[in-house]
Structure formats: structure tokens, C-alpha cells
Amino acid sequence: MRPPYYAVIFTSVRTEIEEGYSEMADLMLTLAQQQEGFLVIESARSEVGITVSYWKDLESIRKWKQNLDHLVAQQKGREQWYSSYTTRICLVEREYSFEK
Amino acid sequence: MRPPYYAVIFTSVRTEIEEGYSEMADLMLTLAQQQEGFLVIESARSEVGITVSYWKDLESIRKWKQNLDHLVAQQKGREQWYSSYTTRICLVEREYSFEK
């Protein structure tokens, strides 16, 4: 992808509550990919989870943040699935890739 | 941390070569943390690995990229440990945190 574009870095620590989590995570992944301005998403989890979603512009991120289903997921996330998280909104200025 | 500051998002896919990898990763983690302008680092690996390091400014990132030990690690990474990777340099504009 050619900069400039935006990244949302979501870093989280989970609680021990598993119920409903993976279903909601799958649903949010599907929904996010349908939003206007969505580019791509990458996710990994070890002690912390890091999910980075990439977006065309700030307006797309703002709309996704306010999406009704996503607001429900955010609320349940705070109540049940996450003990802490940080969301960072970032302007991607440069990108370098290597491939064998 | 209060924005603005910078994030380097390093997303990678590993080869099957394990030899020397974790020692070099540990060394680079230690060295990065000693650099001027370094703030914090977070890492997770599932199918892909995502490491995000945070820095005070672009100059700190540029110096770390050119650090001699780091240049050796980058070279060995391309030759042995990574089948692909992408590095993105990002300006963190906003940050929100939640903690129980």
C-alpha cells in the first residue's frame, strides 16, 4: 500500500473470560472488512494481543468507531474480555517491504 | 504516552530456520531499549509476528535503523529468519487507554 494512509494499533490484555469472545472477534473482523476505507488487518497474540487495521483516512476510522455493532462489541470488551487495552491512531508515513 | 510520537510497525513471516533467531531477537530488544529516543516496545506472534516499537521522533528511528549491530541483524534476518516482512513508520496522532 502506498503511504500516506492510517493505522489503528490496538494492543490488549485479555481477561480469563472466553465466552463469546472468538465469535465476536470473528464478527468484528468480517464487519470491519466491509467498511468503506478499510484496507487490511493483521493480528497476533502472545502475552499481549496486537491488532493493526489499516484505513484510507481518519473519516473511515471515525465511522467504524461509531458503528453500532462495533459499539456493542467495545462495551462487552470493556465489561468482559479485556483487562486493559490501548488504541493508537497513526498516520503511516513510510513503508518498506522485503520478500524472498 | 502523550502524542505526537512515532511507531515502527514491523510485521513478519518467519522461515523455519530457528538457529540464532531468539538470541538475536533478545539482543536487539536490549539494544533498542538503550537507544536515545526509545519509548517502549510490544511484540506478539501467531501466524504473523507483529512488533511495534515507539520512539520520540524520526531521528531516533533513523539512528536505530543505521546502528551497526542492528544492520548485521537486518542482513541475517533477510538471509535466514524471515520469508517476508514489512516495516511501517507512523506518526501516532491519538491514543486512548482502558484499564480495569
Side-chain angles (χ1 to χ4, degrees), chain B residues 1-44:
Chain B
M1 302 183 290
R2 188 181 297 182
Y5 56 89
Y6 274 84
V8 179
I9 306 173
F10 178 75
T11 309
S12 63
V13 178
R14 291 268 283 106
T15 60
E16 289 176 358
I17 302 174
E18 289 293 341
E19 193 189 344
Y21 173 73
S22 70
E23 294 80 359
M24 185 65 93
D26 289 348
L27 178 62
M28 287 305 112
L29 180 63
T30 302
L31 274 182
Q33 290 171 335
Q34 293 168 359
Q35 302 306 303
E36 181 161 336
F38 173 88
L39 299 174
V40 74
I41 192 164
E42 298 172 315
S43 211

Side-chain angles (χ1 to χ4, degrees), chain B residues 25-90:
Chain B
D26 289 348
L27 178 62
M28 287 305 112
L29 180 63
T30 302
L31 274 182
Q33 290 171 335
Q34 293 168 359
Q35 302 306 303
E36 181 161 336
F38 173 88
L39 299 174
V40 74
I41 192 164
E42 298 172 315
S43 211
R45 181 168 294 279
S46 300
E47 290 172 38
V48 298
I50 305 177
T51 296
V52 191
S53 57
Y54 299 96
W55 301 82
K56 201 180 113 192
D57 52 30
L58 280 176
E59 180 62 12
S60 311
I61 294 168
R62 196 192 59 79
K63 281 189 186 159
W64 171 234
K65 189 183 179 188
Q66 299 301 330
N67 173 285
L68 285 181
D69 295 312
H70 190 200
L71 285 171
V72 171
Q74 290 171 55
Q75 179 67 26
K76 293 193 88 168
R78 284 187 292 270
E79 288 170 4
Q80 299 192 39
W81 299 311
Y82 297 115
S83 58
S84 66
Y85 64 71
T86 300
T87 304
R88 293 180 173 94
I89 313 294
C90 313

